[in-house]
Amino acid sequence: MITHTNPSNIHSQLGNDFFEKAIPATFPKHILRFRNDRVAKSLNFEKINDEKWINYFGKFNRFPGVEHYPLALKYHGHQFGHYNSELGDGRGFLLSQFLDKNNKLWDLGTKGSGQTSFSRGGDGRLTLKGAVREVLATEFLSSLGVLTSQTLSIIETGENLIRNDEPSPTRSAVLVRRSHSHIRIGTFQRLAHLNANESIEKLIIHINQNYFQSINNNASINIIVENFFLEVVKRIATMIGRITVSGFVHGVLNTDNFNVTGECFDYGPWRFLEFAEPNFTAAYFDYNQRYSFGKQPEAALWALTQLGHSLKLFIQEDKRIEILNQFSKFFNNSLSSHFSWRLGIKGMEIINVNKIMHKLLNISQKYKIDFALFFYNFYGGSDAVLEATGGIQGEKYKIDEFKEIINLLKETESLNSSQEKRIYFKDNYENLLINEVEFIWNRIDKYNDWTFLNNKIARIRKIGDLLGAKKLIDF
């Protein structure tokens, strides 16, 4: 018997305007491949044995206290700039919600759990490779201090799937992720498209009560919506600043892939950078490089503009523009603070962080300056300069184009703990490039060898522990 879990049914109380009943798929097999006990602990799930874990997260039995069926959420969205009114949860659903030990509300959402009325001809399944890629992305982003959904569970389901973008037939899985919310920008776009203004107001009040609790819901509705919009702009700008410092390329920043609470989520053709290439694109089908590394802030601002447009009956255009104009401030503040955090230094001024990032974006690929390795080599700022530039490995940092970066780093002040951590980072450098991801999957696919995945997760969690990522996010 599970004890001390604290289920919530708050989203189901919004009503059928926001979701449809989902009927989970039944699978021929249920092989537990990954369970995230670090996340489970916050929800008092860590004592669930594997059999019951599979019952809840593979067979979708209801937790005690969960009063609703799985909810396939309704939303629209822009996909690569084109509006699509036929979206919605097509291979997942909101399984349940729980309050953690600090009374924070969390969603448990599925991926690969079967067809819904929004599947649009798809099979509603997830490949095991897709699940493996998602856990790698969420684990590494977590260690790098990025607010992200957390992969809670992966269960292999024993079906053979046909896909155009990977060798087929391929193995299948169902994934469960934890996120604060699955309410998307596209959720509001759908309501605006349907002129469902009362539902927009209802949803904003719901979000403020459960997620943005600093916002006063007793003010006039126009002020409430303005404050809500400003909070979403701040949260998404902050997330984009952090993924920029992390060298992460999401790949598909459509408006249905932004949730309003500001976690990065819904991982598909993501990549981490080797070199800081502004035009580097993760999705092979992104022919116009709309979501390239350097355009991610622009994509986020464009998506937020669509959210603002969905709120036009509540916020005048000049006020929407005023709020959107604050995106740059929030993004730069996030970029500066996260850059300093990842380097183990006291806060560097925004202007200097921008100078370094601009320089790296221009010379990284040309001189093969590894983006992730830069942060490990110069961890501690001024204290690391001499060692980082010494020896054969430091030759690349002695080029004329890098001198401005060195001079700016010499002016920084390291945190007290940076020396000890730098010793570890010197011999324990981790990135997550595509070749390593493919190697890890190859070992699983051909040999059913999960050792390399488990070892990678352990190593990148160690990086996160040293960086102090837990202070920035909720594992």
Side-chain angles (χ1 to χ4, degrees), residues 1-2 34 67 85 121 123 149 215 288 293 407 423 452 465 468:
M1 184 70 180
I2 303 174
F34 174 79
E67 299 172 355
S85 61
D123 61 14
S149 62
I215 295 178
N288 297 318
F293 176 64
N407 290 334
I423 293 172
F452 292 89
D465 291 341

Side-chain angles (χ1 to χ4, degrees), residues 252-265:
V252 189
L253 288 177
N254 295 327
T255 58
D256 57 301
N257 288 339
F258 284 98
N259 64 17
V260 296
T261 46
E263 292 89 28
C264 190
F265 85 119

Side-chain angles (χ1 to χ4, degrees), residues 1 10 23 45 73 159 178 186 188 213 225 300 322 339 389 392 413 433:
M1 184 70 180
I10 192 70
I23 300 175
F45 290 171
L73 305 185
E159 295 179 312
R178 187 202 71 168
F188 285 91
Q213 294 171 337
V225 177
E322 178 186 328
F339 186 93
T389 56
I392 297 175
E413 184 177 354
L433 303 180

Side-chain angles (χ1 to χ4, degrees), residues 133-185:
R133 285 174 48 81
E134 183 145 337
V135 72
L136 284 168
T138 55
E139 286 288 330
F140 198 34
L141 285 172
S142 297
S143 290
L144 296 177
V146 176
L147 292 166
T148 172
S149 62
Q150 298 286 323
T151 304
L152 176 65
S153 172
I154 297 173
I155 294 172
E156 187 171 359
T157 54
E159 295 179 312
N160 293 320
L161 304 179
I162 304 300
R163 293 292 185 267
N164 295 326
D165 55 355
E166 62 179 282
S168 297
T170 188
R171 295 155 71 174
S172 59
V174 63
L175 177 147
V176 177
R177 63 186 175 209
R178 187 202 71 168
S179 183
H180 271 305
S181 170
H182 287 80
I183 300 170
R184 298 157 164 86
I185 288 177

Side-chain angles (χ1 to χ4, degrees), residues 41-89:
K41 187 174 182 180
S42 69
L43 299 172
N44 287 307
F45 290 171
E46 74 275 17
K47 294 182 180 179
I48 301 176
N49 63 36
D50 287 353
E51 180 181 1
K52 289 183 178 179
W53 186 280
I54 288 171
N55 284 338
Y56 290 123
F57 302 129
K59 299 179 181 178
F60 310 114
N61 294 338
R62 287 192 196 180
F63 275 86
V66 175
E67 299 172 355
H68 60 83
Y69 44 74
L71 310 177
L73 305 185
K74 298 178 179 180
Y75 49 87
H76 292 176
H78 278 90
Q79 297 187 307
F80 291 88
H82 301 286
Y83 194 76
N84 189 340
S85 61
E86 297 182 355
L87 299 179
D89 280 341

